[in-house]
Amino acid sequence: MSRRASRRALDPRTPGQRFLLRYGWLLPLATLLIGLGTLVLTYAFASIPLPKDIRLDSSAQVFDRHGHLIGTYSGEVTRFLVDTKKLPKYVSEAVVSSEDRNFYQHGGVDPRGIVRAAWADLTGGGIQQGGSTIAQQYVKNAVLQDPSRTITRKIKEAVLAIKLERRYSKSKILGFYLNTIYLGRGTYGIEAAARAYFDKHARDLSLGQSAYLAGIVPAPEAYQAKENPARAEERRNHVLDLMVQQGYISQKRADKASHGKVKLAKGASKFNDSERAAYFMEWLRKNYLYPEYGNCLYTCGLKIYTTLDLDLQASAEQAISSTLTEPGDPQAALVSMTPDGSVRAFVGGRKFNDLSAARGFDYATDYPGRQAGSSFKPFTLLTAIGQGISPQSRFPGPSPVTIDNPQCNNSDGTPWQPENYASEQFGDITLDEATTNSVNTVFAQLIALIGPQPVAATLDKFGFDRGGKRKIVPTCSLALGTLDVTPLEQTRAFAAFDAGGTLPDVTPIRYVDDSSGHCVKQYRSQPGLKCDDKAKLTTSRVADQNSTAVLSQVLTHVVEGGTATAAAIGRPVAGKTGTTQDNRDAWFAGYIPQLTTVVWMGYPVANVKGAEVQPLMQACAEPTICRPVHGIDVVGGTFPAQIWAKYMTQAVSGLPVESFPLPASEPSQVINPVPPTPAPPPSPSSPPSPPNTPSPSPPGSPSPSVSPSPAPSPSTEPSPSPSVSPSPAPSPSTEPSPSASPLPSATPTNGKTGAGHHIGGTKKALRRGGRSP
């Protein structure tokens, strides 16, 4: 007999008594849990309304920073109630097959469906299926209108679905669902969708059309037949396959219905094409709201409070429309934000209120972007400042110039020979002056000196790697702006200059309320606001505060007397113009201490004689290719700077005039410093020197140690002023010696080598009032 058996034999208590002694404490706990569950169910059944209490008008509303309504998603709600009993049988069967295969077996919640969906998600590596029944979806979208993803909401949803199933028949519940489900294009319900997509009543839908509408229920905006024909066809055919698998139709009928693409009727009604700030609304929807809230964006009555300022938006649109007045003028984009990334104005194209245009191509954000031209020079200058190189360093500015650094070689191995616009020649000038006048050959020498890798690293930090989605190749042409960028990327990066080297998190939403005014999520700090969820802004230090202060001081000279005098608005402004090869793109990126704004201009790509080309904003012998604007060759300092000034003049109204912070210290390394002026010889009338005082040295001889103007130390010994000869320097030293050739050394301080990139003449600085763009 075992020891345990012997103990039981000696124990006088019955097995039941022993069980109660060991597990009896679980009974009160179970009673408590059952009681709490009963209370929850009682509350849910007693206080949550069912369909007869539903408010149907539930489109999301979007407000600006002052609480003014910008617009709604889906425009005017289109909804037509229909007797679903009169619909073809395959309409309901398509929806059931796609959304809830066990609809006729479960009682509102489908445990098998939940397990099946969980398994599909687990094996698929992400969210592949939902476990909600048709009753649950109806409750979530039409009854609760609650976008939160909490356990409480899921419990309410399940309880109400069971309640719904007990009160109504299956056909009635399916009718509720078909009359209220959002199907895209601003439509709610199967009847409205049939008219919007196929210009017919729901009772006249074909099998293929019914399968398509059933298939887009999970994400109607993602499966639009016009924008995504392949995905639309795929969804239709998927639903037809499900109908075959579940025995609703034969394979022969499915094959016939799946033939060809999904075709929308020519007379089909469109969604509301007009919306204030259309590009902003579409950017907000596509990148922020729909990925998080899904169809609830169209059905839950959300109230979305943004950072946009409608007054500034109107000023931005007016600045563009009053400057580009002709229908054939180029496209333009403008993005304006505060140093913390709050977007105040957003224009992605000249059709400001056209949703169709906004859903086509957004010039403010969509890829591919456009080359940045000279508006990229500040990033090379900032990199040099960070390495301790002073903007007072001097370089010759001939055109062209031969860069004899292997890292800058052309693709065929020959030396890089960039040039200034129209071969404009400059003498020995400082980096400050080269920035003010946008001298390409000086910046080519600068990136050859510091190396392209550090500049590429700077661009990575400032977000031009697009969150690690692209690799920036370290080529010397980066200094002249050959990388494609978007106005939004440029604005964010220049806002980091304005913020003292902190790259902002661009989040255009302040907070979101549900239909009852309860805060669902807070995106930016709002004093006194209580929300269920709070997003965390992510900012990063990308440059030293002192370095950006030095840079800002240099960039103010561009506006005060350089290529961007058209951007002067009577207060301190820092900025940089940019013009790409042959005037394809023109930029002005500028900021005041409180606001950063970037303006871009350029023609859309056009089909010219069977080839896709981007027309040039300049005159030439071929008018289909070369199209000056209002008779002017466009550079950054013309129309973009003018648009910027028009907008900012209105935007700064009421803002105090502020100056940029002064640097705490200046970079110490001055390349090719100006030799000190020698002390003048004593005048003839000077009294004789006292006894034992050395006589003045003859001109050109070394000064004695007691001279009032001591010679500089060897580390700062000046070299003779270099000539403008374009031949490269042979010396590897970064500090010029007295015998140095005109160009500073092209050997970078990091000693690394890499592939060069040929851009001979990629960016040409246009002479405007004796200066370059």
Side-chain angles (χ1 to χ4, degrees):
M1 181 182 294
S2 67
R3 184 177 300 176
R4 178 177 296 180
S6 63
R7 284 202 304 266
R8 287 179 180 174
L10 297 174
D11 192 342
R13 290 171 294 191
T14 65
Q17 290 174 327
R18 288 196 296 268
F19 177 84
L20 288 175
L21 183 63
R22 173 170 289 187
Y23 300 106
W25 63 274
L26 291 174
L27 292 177
L29 179 61
T31 303
L32 178 61
L33 292 176
I34 292 172
L36 289 174
T38 303
L39 288 175
V40 170
L41 293 175
T42 302
Y43 167 77
F45 277 95
S47 62
I48 302 176
L50 273 175
K52 62 181 180 181
D53 304 313
I54 295 170
R55 178 176 59 87
L56 295 179
D57 186 10
S58 55
S59 296
Q61 296 176 295
V62 182
F63 301 90
D64 82 342
R65 63 188 293 252
H66 299 298
H68 301 141
L69 180 66
I70 301 173
T72 62
Y73 286 109
S74 300
E76 294 181 2
V77 174
T78 305
R79 190 193 306 270
F80 302 100
L81 298 181
V82 63
D83 185 353
T84 54
K85 294 179 180 179
K86 297 180 179 180
L87 298 179
K89 192 176 181 181
Y90 51 71
V91 172
S92 299
E93 291 171 345
V95 172
V96 170
S97 297
S98 176
E99 291 300 300
D100 188 0
R101 68 178 65 179
N102 296 322
F103 175 69
Y104 292 104
Q105 285 77 47
H106 63 67
V109 176
D110 183 11
R112 286 184 296 173
I114 294 172
V115 173
R116 183 176 62 249
W119 176 252
D121 295 344
L122 181 64
T123 57
I127 302 300
Q128 306 292 324
Q129 294 185 12
S132 297
T133 65
I134 283 177
Q136 286 177 282
Q137 291 181 54
Y138 175 72
V139 166
K140 179 181 71 174
N141 295 324
V143 180
L144 293 178
Q145 297 187 354
D146 182 359
S148 63
R149 300 175 181 179
T150 62
I151 294 178
T152 301
R153 198 269 293 165
K154 291 297 292 183
I155 291 174
K156 287 183 179 180
E157 177 187 300
V159 169
L160 277 181
I162 296 171
K163 183 177 181 180
L164 191 71
E165 292 271 0
R166 290 181 175 180
R167 180 173 295 185
Y168 297 102
S169 67
K170 290 288 185 179
S171 62
K172 196 78 171 178
I173 293 170
L174 190 56
F176 290 153
Y177 184 77
L178 291 174
N179 270 317
T180 56
I181 189 66
Y182 179 72
L183 287 164
R185 300 175 75 86
T187 64
Y188 292 82
I190 194 70
E191 176 68 15
R195 299 187 193 185
Y197 287 93
F198 304 111
D199 196 26
K200 59 174 62 175
H201 292 290
R203 63 176 179 268
D204 299 321
L205 288 171
S206 69
L207 173 59
Q209 292 167 344
S210 300
Y212 168 69
L213 292 179
I216 68 174
V217 167
E221 305 299 340
Y223 301 118
Q224 290 295 307
K226 182 179 179 180
E227 289 81 7
N228 298 293
R231 296 189 73 187
E233 184 179 345
E234 179 186 345
R235 289 301 297 174
R236 178 198 64 191
N237 296 347
H238 174 67
V239 173
L240 290 170
D241 289 341
L242 290 176
M243 294 179 73
V244 172
Q245 294 173 16
Q246 295 171 40
Y248 289 118
I249 60 173
S250 66
Q251 186 63 58
K252 184 177 180 179
R253 288 188 69 190
D255 292 341
K256 183 177 180 180
S258 64
H259 181 70
K261 297 181 178 180
V262 177
K263 295 181 180 179
L264 303 184
K266 292 183 179 180
S269 60
K270 297 180 179 180
F271 54 80
N272 187 358
D273 275 348
S274 181
E275 184 78 83
R276 243 189 329 188
Y279 285 92
F280 175 79
M281 291 286 284
E282 178 59 13
W283 172 62
L284 186 68
R285 182 194 71 84
K286 184 169 62 176
N287 294 279
Y288 294 91
L289 296 173
Y290 192 76
E292 182 158 3
Y293 298 103
N295 288 345
C296 190
L297 181 63
Y298 311 106
T299 61
C300 295
L302 300 178
K303 295 179 176 62
I304 300 145
Y305 296 88
T306 72
T307 65
L308 194 79
D309 189 311
L310 275 178
D311 291 335
L312 299 194
Q313 180 71 17
S315 297
E317 294 170 0
Q318 173 64 22
I320 293 173
S321 62
S322 64
T323 304
L324 304 177
T325 56
E326 301 298 324
D329 283 347
Q331 278 291 349
L334 182 153
V335 179
S336 184
M337 71 175 65
T338 60
D340 71 351
S342 296
V343 175
R344 294 290 188 244
F346 185 101
V347 177
R350 290 177 58 205
K351 295 183 178 180
F352 310 125
N353 300 324
D354 190 327
L355 271 177
S356 293
R359 291 186 172 186
F361 191 86
D362 184 341
Y363 290 94
T365 63
D366 284 352
Y367 307 138
R370 298 296 184 95
Q371 287 189 351
S374 291
S375 66
F376 241 35
K377 286 174 180 170
F379 299 101
T380 299
L381 180 58
L382 180 66
T383 305
I385 292 170
Q387 293 185 7
I389 297 175
S390 169
Q392 298 310 309
S393 298
R394 304 183 71 83
F395 295 82
S399 180
V401 67
T402 300
I403 303 298
D404 203 18
N405 182 340
Q407 294 187 87
C408 300
N409 283 354
N410 299 321
S411 57
D412 61 0
T414 58
W416 184 33
Q417 291 186 310
E419 61 184 79
N420 298 325
Y421 180 80
S423 297
E424 189 174 25
Q425 303 292 323
F426 289 85
D428 206 33
I429 59 175
T430 65
L431 286 176
D432 190 328
E433 294 166 332
T435 305
T436 300
N437 295 278
S438 201
V439 183
N440 290 341
T441 56
V442 168
F443 274 84
Q445 296 169 60
L446 180 61
I447 196 170
L449 176 67
I450 65 177
Q453 182 62 54
V455 176
T458 295
L459 296 173
D460 279 341
K461 292 178 184 177
F462 276 81
F464 293 105
D465 65 341
R466 294 169 184 168
K469 294 180 181 178
R470 75 167 170 181
K471 177 177 175 56
I472 298 177
V473 180
T475 60
C476 292
S477 64
L478 290 173
L480 306 186
T482 55
L483 191 71
D484 75 283
V485 301
T486 68
L488 179 64
E489 291 172 334
Q490 277 282 67
T491 310
R492 185 189 184 205
F494 272 72
F497 297 161
D498 203 2
T502 300
L503 188 68
D505 188 334
V506 180
T507 303
I509 310 172
R510 294 161 55 223
Y511 61 96
V512 174
D513 283 350
D514 62 19
S515 58
S516 63
H518 175 73
C519 184
V520 174
K521 188 167 184 177
Q522 176 181 320
Y523 294 82
R524 288 187 170 275
S525 177
Q526 303 292 322
L529 186 66
K530 295 182 179 180
C531 283
D532 292 338
D533 189 13
K534 290 186 179 181
K536 184 178 181 181
L537 294 179
T538 56
T539 58
S540 56
R541 169 66 60 182
V542 295
D544 177 74
Q545 188 169 2
N546 190 71
S547 296
T548 57
V550 173
L551 178 67
S552 292
Q553 295 300 321
V554 173
L555 295 182
T556 60
H557 303 156
V558 178
V559 179
E560 291 170 356
T563 60
T565 54
I569 57 173
R571 62 170 66 202
V573 172
K576 187 68 189 75
T577 54
T579 312
T580 61
Q581 183 179 12
D582 298 324
N583 306 73
R584 282 186 170 86
D585 302 279
W587 300 76
F588 181 68
Y591 54 98
I592 63 171
Q594 303 99 318
L595 194 65
T596 299
T597 301
V598 170
V599 177
W600 165 86
M601 271 182 59
Y603 283 108
V605 173
N607 189 301
V608 178
K609 297 180 180 179
E612 294 293 322
V613 298
Q614 182 187 336
L616 315 178
M617 296 183 292
Q618 68 174 17
C620 72
E622 181 51 68
T624 58
I625 301 297
C626 300
R627 306 174 189 174
V629 181
H630 305 174
I632 298 173
D633 288 358
V634 177
V635 295
T638 57
F639 293 110
Q642 293 168 22
I643 292 170
W644 190 95
K646 285 182 179 180
Y647 164 73
M648 290 294 285
T649 298
Q650 298 299 317
V652 303
S653 177
L655 292 178
V657 176
E658 294 183 10
S659 297
F660 294 102
L662 295 175
S665 62
E666 295 288 341
S668 60
Q669 185 180 4
V670 180
I671 299 171
N672 291 336
V674 177
T677 304
S683 62
S685 59
S686 300
S689 302
N692 302 323
T693 301
S695 300
S697 302
S701 63
S703 300
S705 60
V706 295
S707 170
S709 301
S713 64
S715 63
T716 59
E717 183 69 14
S719 63
S721 297
S723 69
V724 295
S725 170
S727 59
S731 169
S733 170
T734 59
E735 187 69 24
S737 64
S739 61
S741 59
L743 298 185
S745 166
T747 303
T749 56
N750 60 14
K752 297 180 181 179
T753 61
H757 186 72
H758 179 266
I759 65 148
T762 291
K763 164 65 183 71
K764 300 178 179 180
L766 180 70
R767 187 178 184 87
R768 182 176 182 274
R771 296 182 172 87
S772 313

